[in-house]
Structures are given as structure tokens and as C-alpha cells.
Amino acid sequence: MTANRLATTLLTALAPISWGTTYAVTTEFLPPDRPLFTGLLRALPAGLLLLALARVLPRGAWWWRSAVLGALNIGAFFPLLFLAAYRLPGGMAAVVGSVGPLLVVGLSAVLLGQRPTARALLTGVIAALGVSLVVLRAAGALDALGALAALASTASMSAGTVLTKRWGRPDGVGPLALTSWQLTAGGLLIAPVAFLAEGAPPALDGRAVGGYLYLALANTAVAYWLWFRGIGRLTATQVTFLGPLSPLTATVVGWAALGQALTPVQVAGMVVAFGATVVGQLPTRAATTVATAAAATTGPAAPLPAPPTHVPAAAQAHERRPVSL
């Protein structure tokens, strides 16, 4: 792995690591039981802020492409994930979400023409196993609607990741503008759902304002910019295998900051999931060939094959209350 690719990978990894702090911020700083309102305040202000900084609007086909990507990565992903977090036992949404790398591998074969490798499939299974050991709790019967919502949220983010890679970016448009379009479109989609489902916004104290500022700026504006920037420079498989860092971070923060117990089984699961994340970053021969060809014809800024999937802090959401991702 070259120094540039390593730097890109590490910066992209900051996104799911940041999303892993969402659970602690939500439970300690924000009003209870307002996940959609929280999702709205994360997405729309962040999108408008980045749009003001980028000063670039979509053109032509990018109006509907931005709407599609915003719906898949933000607008549909958030409500589906919250529905799953409400209805499933603690950690189950994260377990279902951990199949994201496998979905991305399959979608990359269909939409990007990347042949699935045995290593990618095996690593995806191992990553899901590691996340399961970290977050899964034995509690209650499996809710069918919750399971479908969790799977749909994972499929939505996986499809958004692959389509972001397939469509790339318009000429002269950077990842900042692309991120702003998606966050704005996703926030506008969440807004009516949030107000219909949760009513008027709650009263906010200083702690809540600080929590929402963190989520909108660091946890969303910066994190999603890093994520979509990574999608443009890494492969779909490499990006999605960073997703397990989110539930792992949520577990570590819960142990270090919230005094939650950390069992030997969880530690073992963390080692397994982190190992799968590292292995998932190793480029295949096919990916290297594609990257070399793309760089030779379009330059290093051209998008190469590359939500999330990440199942951010939902890993432990049901045990206290759902988190916004």
C-alpha cells in the first residue's frame, strides 16, 4: 500500500470512527426519543453549510443523481435504521448491518463489473462474525419488520456507496460539493417524515445545542465529506470494510466514557472485526489494474471503484434508545 493510499484510508476511517461516537452523544446530550429530528438536524444544516462553502449546484443529470444518492445514503438510510433500532434487540441492527460489505461486493459485480473474490467474501463473513461477538445480546424474539428495516437500511447505504463510485463526480466538482448535494437532498427527504412522526421540535438546552453542533459539524459535515472523498479514491470493497470501525468505536466509547462492561468475548470480537477491516484494505490485482488504468487516462483525481456500509452507533441503540447515524 502506497503512502498516499494509506493516508486516504486512514482519513476515510475517521468517518465510521466518528459515527461510532453518535450513541454516546445521543444518550448523554440530546432530548430522548427524537431520532428523526436528530437525523434532520445532522443532515440538512451540514448539507447547507457545505453547499455554501462549495458554491456549486448540480447540473443536468446530477440533479436527479444527487436526489437518488441523497435518498440512499441519508434520506432512506436514517429512518430505516431508526425503525430497526426501535424494534430489534440490542445490537441486532448492527449485526444485520454488518453484512454491508457482502452486499457491496455483490453490487460491485453488477454495477462496476468487479468480479467477487474469495478473499473479499470470506473477509466479509469474518467481519460480520466479529461485529456479532461485539454487539449481539441474547434478548427477545426477532421482530420481522425490524429485521426487514435493518436489512433495507444496509442495502440502501450499500447501493448508495456503489452508485457514488459508479457515477463519480462531474468534471471540476470536488467531494465537498458532492457531499453537500447528498446531505441537503437527504435532509429534505427526512424533514416531512420527522415532523409527521415526531411533531414539533423539542425545547433545547445548552447541552443539546452542543450535541447537535457536534453531530452536524464533525459527525456529519466533516465525516461524510471524508467518506465520499474516500469513495472517490478507494475501491467500494475497501471503503465498506471500514464500516465495522463504527460499532467497535461505539463499544470502546461506551466502556471508556459510560462505564459499560467489556467482556472477553467482546474483546475477541473486536480483534476479529478489526483484523477483517485491515484485510479488507489490501488491494486485489484487479483493483490495482483498474486504478492504474484510470490514473493513466484521467489523472489521480478521477473516481475509482469504491454508507454506511456503516451501521454507525446503532450497535447498542436498543439497550437505551435509538441513535441517529
Side-chain angles (χ1 to χ4, degrees):
M1 181 181 295
T2 65
N4 286 341
R5 183 168 293 275
L6 176 60
T8 299
T9 301
L10 293 176
L11 286 173
T12 307
L14 293 177
I17 289 173
S18 172
W19 295 327
T21 67
T22 307
Y23 169 75
V25 173
T26 300
T27 56
E28 300 302 313
F29 291 90
L30 305 185
D33 304 322
R34 304 304 295 264
L36 293 177
F37 177 72
T38 298
L40 173 61
L41 284 195
R42 287 186 61 193
L44 191 55
L48 294 175
L49 173 62
L50 295 185
L51 188 61
L53 293 174
R55 298 185 180 182
V56 178
L57 290 175
R59 294 181 180 179
W62 275 98
W63 281 105
W64 68 263
R65 287 182 176 182
S66 298
V68 170
L69 294 177
L72 291 173
N73 290 321
I74 307 294
F77 175 70
F78 279 6
L80 287 169
L81 187 61
F82 296 145
L83 176 61
Y86 269 121
R87 302 183 68 96
L88 292 179
M92 181 62 73
V95 173
V96 177
S98 66
V99 305
L102 295 175
L103 292 178
V104 168
V105 169
L107 289 171
S108 295
V110 175
L111 298 177
L112 303 178
Q114 296 179 356
R115 180 182 301 176
T117 65
R119 189 187 75 185
L121 295 174
L122 179 60
T123 305
V125 172
I126 293 174
L129 173 62
V131 171
S132 301
L133 293 175
V134 173
V135 303
L136 193 58
R137 302 287 187 275
L142 183 64
D143 180 89
L145 179 59
L148 287 175
L151 185 59
S153 69
T154 303
S156 178
M157 188 66 177
S158 299
T161 298
V162 176
L163 281 178
T164 300
K165 171 56 77 177
R166 177 179 174 86
W167 288 337
R169 299 191 302 267
D171 291 339
V173 173
L176 188 71
L178 183 65
T179 304
S180 73
W181 300 345
Q182 295 189 51
L183 286 173
T184 302
L188 291 174
L189 288 173
I190 294 174
V193 179
F195 286 112
L196 286 174
E198 298 178 352
L204 303 179
D205 57 17
R207 287 175 60 85
V209 170
Y212 281 125
L213 284 175
Y214 167 77
L215 291 182
L217 297 177
N219 192 266
T220 302
V222 175
Y224 272 94
W225 170 68
L226 290 172
W227 185 254
F228 293 129
R229 175 181 178 273
I231 289 176
R233 302 186 180 195
L234 303 172
T235 69
T237 303
Q238 288 172 322
V239 172
T240 197
F241 271 115
L242 295 173
L245 292 176
S246 180
L248 297 187
T249 301
T251 302
V252 171
V253 171
W255 167 74
L258 304 181
Q260 298 172 351
L262 192 60
T263 67
V265 172
Q266 286 179 296
V267 174
M270 293 173 68
V271 172
V272 170
F274 184 76
T277 298
V278 172
V279 172
Q281 304 314 304
L282 302 177
T284 62
R285 180 178 302 178
T288 303
T289 301
V290 171
T292 303
T297 56
T298 61
L304 306 175
T309 319
H310 58 88
V311 179
Q316 309 170 45
H318 186 77
E319 295 174 10
R320 294 179 67 176
R321 63 172 175 270
V323 299
S324 99
L325 303 180

